[in-house]
Amino acid sequence: MTNESVFTGLKVLDVSSFIAGPAAATVLSDFGADVIKIEPPGRGDPQRRLSSVPPSPRAQANYSWHLANRNKRGMVIDLKSPAATEVLKRLVDWADVVITNFPHGTREKLHLGYEEVAGWNPRVVYADITGFGDAGPDAGQPGFDLTAAWSRSGLLASTRDAGAPPTVPVWGSGDYMSAIAIYAAVVTALYRRERTGQGASVGTSLLAGGVWATGTLVAGALAGGTPFELHDRKAPANPLINPYRTADDEWFMLVASPPHWPGLTRAIGHPELLEDPRFADIEGFVENAAALSELLDAEFRSQPFAHWRDALTRERVTYSLIQTPEEAAQDPQLRANDIVVPLEGVSGLAETISSPVNIRGVPKVPAKRAPDLGEHNDEILAELGFGPAEIAELRAQGAIPGPTEAEGPR
């Protein structure tokens, strides 16, 4: 029996912020990587304050910070200080992986460009994320998940109903989606390094993640496909794929296909619909969508959700209750599958969300709180070979804060 995890011994330098880069480093930490997070002096990574910014849910615990930065050691370094360059160089030399999301131009000024980093450590896997990619007229534009991953990609325009203006989607969702892409790129490059001994520069963009998520629709556009109108619940493109409301005001999503049609007719108590020529094939479902959705609306409104849960399950028709985040947080399925896991060391916050990457039979590292601002400065500097006098000199030159300056919001 061993306590080692998949990435035990892997060293990761997280010089990123808010949210995709840090979350990718967190996935590595879930499997045992030693992650050092670098933050700027003052207030640190802006994600420390995300839990208190509307429309984030109000809570006393800083849940957002611990979600994307658990299991890390934390340092505060002023990378703009000339004296910080030697610290950064030693950290890069220590690391197997460096993750950053500084814009091109800024990263080079801070000695975080790939050429300089790879010059210090040729075996390093250098991973970055941008808003809109490395090339093109908008490569230098700042990007957030709501702008690059959602708005620019076509995803947001495709998720509104007909006649409704665009809305604000779940913010951070594009970041967490892109974090898995960064993680995958890092792991791919590490596998390549095992085979060749060579480091690599890998990365993605929020735009690429958003277009991938919208892939079916964008690929259809590339093929010259004819798009359907925006979704109209009362006259959907396909009434078998539509939300419906029950007698007790629950909403559920029906996701059926023509092979499910016989079972659906039995579930709603109208097997005679199988003989209705309007619904003989997929073309009929589309042409008569308004009539069928009206019929289904009336039937589903006649009974509570528990009735339809039993009836649809019995006929093996696919559906799901549409849960609020608060309902999802209490769903026993999340704990049965370790999607929600215990979190150690945070007052008022007993659980967090695990990353969606799993290796069956290999447990993840137990989730522990994210670091306080600059919590491990002296510890890590000593590991890098800086003596007490050198650490004092770094403080005097402004490369790192004094012992009390590093304290900040958790």
Side-chain angles (χ1 to χ4, degrees):
M1 188 71 178
T2 176
N3 291 326
E4 290 195 353
S5 190
V6 178
F7 292 130
T8 297
L10 186 75
K11 301 169 184 175
V12 179
L13 183 62
D14 175 10
V15 202
S16 62
S17 61
F18 202 56
I19 297 170
T26 295
V27 183
L28 293 165
S29 79
D30 282 343
F31 290 102
D34 181 3
V35 180
I36 294 176
K37 180 176 181 66
I38 306 301
E39 297 181 75
R43 303 184 73 185
D45 183 341
Q47 192 168 2
R48 286 184 177 273
R49 298 177 291 284
L50 182 60
S51 298
S52 61
V53 176
S56 295
R58 296 184 182 93
Q60 291 190 348
N62 197 348
Y63 54 87
S64 177
W65 175 244
H66 296 287
L67 174 61
N69 290 283
R70 61 176 178 265
N71 292 348
K72 300 179 184 179
R73 296 192 286 168
M75 295 187 74
V76 169
I77 304 175
D78 186 356
L79 295 177
K80 297 177 182 178
S81 168
T85 305
E86 178 60 27
V87 180
L88 180 61
K89 182 177 180 180
R90 293 198 200 183
L91 284 166
V92 168
D93 186 60
W94 165 88
D96 295 292
V97 178
V98 172
I99 300 174
T100 188
N101 65 339
F102 281 109
H104 289 290
T106 300
R107 67 180 69 172
E108 283 75 19
K109 291 178 183 178
L110 298 177
H111 304 282
L112 270 172
Y114 174 67
E115 297 301 328
E116 188 166 7
V117 167
W120 292 337
N121 182 355
R123 282 177 50 84
V124 79
V125 171
Y126 178 96
D128 71 355
I129 182 166
T130 62
F132 299 97
D134 295 332
D138 295 329
Q141 292 295 317
F144 291 90
D145 72 318
L146 295 185
T147 58
W150 276 94
S151 300
R152 189 71 174 269
S153 68
L155 184 58
L156 183 56
S158 305
T159 53
R160 60 190 173 104
D161 284 348
T167 187
V168 177
V170 179
W171 63 330
S173 54
D175 284 305
Y176 283 106
M177 173 175 62
S178 299
I180 298 302
I182 304 170
Y183 169 80
V186 167
V187 172
T188 302
L190 289 171
Y191 179 75
R192 174 178 177 267
R193 192 178 74 175
E194 286 297 305
R195 300 184 62 168
T196 67
Q198 299 175 357
S201 176
V202 303
T204 189
S205 67
L206 293 170
L207 177 61
V211 172
W212 180 252
T214 324
T216 298
L217 299 180
V218 176
L222 292 173
T226 302
F228 285 93
E229 297 296 324
L230 288 172
H231 183 77
D232 180 347
R233 203 190 70 79
K234 293 188 177 298
N238 184 346
L240 301 186
I241 302 177
N242 201 33
Y244 292 99
R245 195 175 192 177
T246 64
D248 52 349
D249 287 331
E250 295 282 9
W251 285 91
F252 72 93
M253 181 66 72
L254 179 70
V255 182
S257 60
H260 292 111
W261 178 235
L264 182 58
T265 65
R266 292 191 296 270
I268 64 174
H270 288 283
E272 73 278 3
L273 288 173
L274 282 178
E275 308 304 322
D276 192 321
R278 295 176 299 170
F279 311 129
D281 50 32
I282 189 64
E283 288 77 14
F285 289 130
V286 173
E287 291 173 9
N288 300 283
L292 182 53
S293 63
E294 183 179 6
L295 187 155
L296 292 174
D297 251 340
E299 291 301 324
F300 288 130
R301 284 302 301 267
S302 70
Q303 297 287 344
F305 175 74
H307 171 87
W308 297 117
R309 179 189 59 211
D310 295 341
L312 295 172
T313 300
R314 183 172 61 249
E315 296 294 345
R316 303 185 66 81
V317 176
T318 308
Y319 72 94
S320 177
L321 180 66
I322 297 175
Q323 298 193 133
T324 66
E326 293 74 24
E327 290 168 333
Q330 301 305 317
D331 191 328
Q333 195 70 13
L334 274 61
R335 288 163 186 80
N337 289 279
D338 293 327
I339 298 170
V340 165
V341 295
L343 176 66
E344 298 177 21
V346 184
S347 176
L349 184 61
E351 296 174 306
T352 190
I353 302 167
S354 185
S355 62
V357 179
N358 294 290
I359 303 175
R360 292 185 177 89
V362 178
K364 293 179 182 176
V365 172
K368 297 180 177 62
R369 68 172 179 85
D372 292 341
L373 193 59
E375 179 178 349
H376 301 98
N377 264 34
D378 286 4
E379 171 189 309
I380 294 170
L381 288 169
E383 289 178 13
L384 295 173
F386 290 94
E390 293 172 297
I391 294 174
E393 183 62 23
L394 288 170
R395 285 200 172 95
Q397 296 185 49
I400 59 173
T404 59
E405 294 176 77
E407 296 177 0
R410 292 179 62 176

